[in-house]
Amino acid sequence: MNLKKIWNQFFDNYMKSTVEKIEDVEFSEDETKRYSIMFVGLVQGVGFRYETWMIAQKLGLTGFVQNLPDGSVYAEIQGSENKILYLIECLQSIPRIQIEKMRMDEMELKEESHFEIA
């Protein structure tokens, strides 16, 4: 096994263990919303998209997350508002991620069934 594969496997296991530590929270019923969110800061090269994808899946959210050429990350996230806010809270609590600015705009809902890394 080459060094890159070993590193990728270690990083994958590390992030999975981070997400597993996220508390299972009881969420009250909330209105379904969709937000476009721009994250600026140390959000590329630190597993941000993968972490977002894993947390979104755990929470049952839909949408996507993608890197932008300027170093920021763009996401569209749909689900109950309290779960979306919890996802953001989880991301902000990860030490290797540094969200310096964030812009959140409500959008129209879309028909979709999963969350993906674009």
Side-chain angles (χ1 to χ4, degrees):
M1 189 179 271
N2 69 30
L3 189 56
K4 185 173 181 169
K5 274 189 168 183
I6 293 170
W7 171 251
N8 287 341
Q9 186 176 12
F10 167 78
F11 199 61
D12 186 54
N13 289 337
Y14 170 75
M15 286 197 283
K16 283 179 184 174
S17 71
T18 300
V19 171
E20 287 172 1
K21 291 178 189 173
I22 292 173
E23 295 180 34
D24 286 325
V25 175
E26 291 290 325
F27 293 98
S28 59
E29 284 299 314
D30 201 3
E31 186 178 352
T32 299
K33 302 267 184 154
R34 183 178 191 88
Y35 288 102
S36 69
I37 308 172
M38 182 70 69
F39 298 96
V40 177
L42 183 58
V43 292
Q44 286 193 21
V46 291
F48 185 90
R49 291 177 303 147
Y50 189 61
E51 201 98 39
T52 302
W53 173 74
M54 287 194 307
I55 296 168
Q57 283 195 312
K58 183 174 183 167
L59 296 174
L61 300 170
T62 62
F64 67 90
V65 62
Q66 67 183 31
N67 283 342
L68 296 179
D70 67 359
S72 62
V73 171
Y74 176 76
E76 289 186 16
I77 305 172
Q78 182 169 301
S80 68
E81 188 168 28
N82 52 13
K83 289 183 180 182
I84 294 170
L85 295 175
Y86 184 68
L87 177 141
I88 293 167
E89 185 181 311
C90 290
L91 291 171
Q92 290 172 326
S93 72
I94 299 169
R96 70 180 178 285
I97 294 171
Q98 296 173 6
I99 300 170
E100 295 169 6
K101 293 181 193 173
M102 185 180 75
R103 180 177 172 167
M104 222 171 133
D105 295 306
E106 191 169 348
M107 306 175 67
E108 287 188 33
L109 299 177
K110 292 184 180 178
E111 288 289 325
E112 58 192 1
S113 60
H114 62 281
F115 194 92
E116 62 185 39
I117 298 173

